[in-house]
């Protein structure tokens, strides 16, 4: 069995799927990209893109013009099928693999001997094996005749086109032949090292990378709470502790956000609750940090009212989940802002996010104007614009949760 890969179907043309599709197309694989969103399909077929990612539009335009990339709402027969659909969580932080399952079901009738089936979506341990059973239950004549692997990536939004080619990857098949087949496939565009393992280890590796960041940030956030009580500057403390040659503490902030680090650790905790106590606790600590920040703003508000006999104007500086981006997914800054708004009925509040022009619900104010007008200024995200604001503001109450003034 086995044949040369010349055609690939990618299912899910989002932040990861579309760049991967475009890069494969550039490397002379005929790519059929599938998305359930008709608007996404139409946009790509015009040679345009629906997401913000540097350089991506050039790749897509060139591939569409050359005819190596075509988008569609339905898959077609190929040599490789790559699943890159969302894997959110549901209910009590349980992973939702229903998108992976429904994408897989659409390609089951198309599979033939020698094909390679790959999952790239962040998935709980055992997902690739589950999909293997799903496929073989429907197509028992293919048992042992197709290759299956789990192949996560670890790209940084904003630098995706470079990192897809240059980051090491971990590739895990359901058997050794599958791993080897996956390595051959990724070799078409990846110039970095490709590390072979099994599917379960590869699934856990992706989750581990994000859980590791989460746990380390939780340590920094826990220190920030201790230091607040102990009257110690946490930024100075961490800087000094890091002078130790074998200590490397991360920076605290308003919590942890985004759709990876704030989500993926739950995939471990949900399946192994008794064993993953530290990982679960880190999630709790990082979520609690955002709650704590909102409480601190409330405390300052009450203090101000007692001292000045009027309500203060509060500026919430930043809504994004990290500095200098416009992404608000799972953002602790947004959570804090909304919590403060609820307790104030939205009065006397200025909301700032310099990376966004307008928001459908929240009324945004220019950061300089907000700084001038507010009595209480809560820095929630260390955006570069905030570093240019005056620092000699003795008449203002400054709450620096993100170290923008450290
Ligand atoms: N964005 C990142 O930085 C990043 C990093 C690592 C891992 N991941 C993982 O990669 C996966 C995809 O993430 P993303 O950011 O590209 O998501 P995304 O939301 O940008 O894109 C997913 C796309 O899949 C489409 N889709 C959903 N169900 C479908 C189906 N059944 N058939 C066809 N298309 C379908 C959606 O319309 C959407 O366009 C997730 O599991 C995510 O956790 C993302």
């Amino acid at each position: 069995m086995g044949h040369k890969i010349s055609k690939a179907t990618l299912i899910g043309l989002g932040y990861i799927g579309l760049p991967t599709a475009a890069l494969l197309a550039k490397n002379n694989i005929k790519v059929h990209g599938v998305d359930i969103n008709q608007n996404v399909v139409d946009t790509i077929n015009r040679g345009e893109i629906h997401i913000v990612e540097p350089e991506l539009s050039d790749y897509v335009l060139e591939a569409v013009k050359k005819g190596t990339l075509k988008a569609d709402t339905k898959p077609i027969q190929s040599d490789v099928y790559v699943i890159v659909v969302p894997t959110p969580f549901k209910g009590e932080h349980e992973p939702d693999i229903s998108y992976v399952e429904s994408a897989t079901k659409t390609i089951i009738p198309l599979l033939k001997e020698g094909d390679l089936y790959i999952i790239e979506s962040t998935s709980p341990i055992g997902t690739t094996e589950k999909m293997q059973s799903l496929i073989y239950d429907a197509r028992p004549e293919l048992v042992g005749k197709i290759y299956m692997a789990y192949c996560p990536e670890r790209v940084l939004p904003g630098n995706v086109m470079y990192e897809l080619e240059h980051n090491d990857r971990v590739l895990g098949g359901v058997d050794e032949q599958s791993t080897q087949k996956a390595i051959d496939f990724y070799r078409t565009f990846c110039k970095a090292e490709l590390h072979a393992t099994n599917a379960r280890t590869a699934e856990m590796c992706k989750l581990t990378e994000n859980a590791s960041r989460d746990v380390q940030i939780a340590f920094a956030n826990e220190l920030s709470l201790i230091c607040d009580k102990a009257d110690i500057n946490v930024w100075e403390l961490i800087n000094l502790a890091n002078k130790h040659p074998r200590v490397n503490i991360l920076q605290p902030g308003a919590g942890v956000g985004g759709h990876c680090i704030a989500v993926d650790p739950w995939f471990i905790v949900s399946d192994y609750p008794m064993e993953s106590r530290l990982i679960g606790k880190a999630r709790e600590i990082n979520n609690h940090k955002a709650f704590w920040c909102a409480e601190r703003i409330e405390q300052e508000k009450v203090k101000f009212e007692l001292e000045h006999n009027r309500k203060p104007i509060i500026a919430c500086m930043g809504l994004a989940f990290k500095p200098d981006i416009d992404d608000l997914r799972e953002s602790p800054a947004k959570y804090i802002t909304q919590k403060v708004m609820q307790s104030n009925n939205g009065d006397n509040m200025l909301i700032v996010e310099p990376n966004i022009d307008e928001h459908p619900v929240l009324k945004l104010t220019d950061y300089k104007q907000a700084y001038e007008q507010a009595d209480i200024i809560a820095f929630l995200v260390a955006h570069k614009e905030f570093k240019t604001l005056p620092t000699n503001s003795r008449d203002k109450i400054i709450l620096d949760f993100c170290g923008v003034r450290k």
Side-chain angles (χ1 to χ4, degrees), residues 4-137:
K4 196 178 163 347
I5 293 165
S6 60
K7 282 185 289 183
T9 286
L10 257 96
I11 308 189
L13 298 174
Y15 282 95
I16 301 302
L18 183 56
T20 308
L23 203 54
L24 281 164
K26 195 182 168 70
N27 287 280
N28 299 319
I29 297 217
K30 203 157 165 64
V31 179
H32 187 82
V34 180
D35 205 290
I36 42 169
N37 185 332
Q38 184 72 49
N39 181 38
V40 167
V41 169
D42 294 342
T43 308
I44 295 167
N45 284 334
R46 284 197 305 270
E48 294 166 14
I49 59 174
H50 62 290
I51 51 176
V52 179
E53 182 57 47
E55 291 178 43
L56 177 60
S57 61
D58 298 343
Y59 280 76
V60 170
L61 181 61
E62 199 190 313
V64 170
K65 265 201 210 149
K66 251 185 15 193
T68 44
L69 172 63
K70 186 179 178 318
D72 193 356
T73 52
K74 300 251 162 1
I76 57 165
Q77 220 168 32
S78 299
D79 308 313
V80 185
Y81 299 90
V82 188
I83 312 286
V84 208
V85 295
T87 40
F89 56 54
K90 57 181 181 187
E92 293 292 306
H93 301 122
E94 295 140 27
D96 178 2
I97 60 164
S98 62
Y99 298 79
V100 174
E101 221 171 273
S102 64
T104 302
K105 281 183 184 157
T106 64
I107 60 118
I108 288 181
L110 305 174
L111 287 169
K112 58 185 185 317
E113 184 175 341
D115 283 352
L116 172 62
Y117 165 89
I118 291 170
I119 303 176
E120 279 205 19
S121 301
T122 303
S123 301
I125 300 169
T127 302
T128 312
E129 288 164 354
K130 265 193 198 148
M131 293 307 115
Q132 185 183 32
S133 303
L134 192 78
I135 291 169
Y136 285 163
D137 282 352

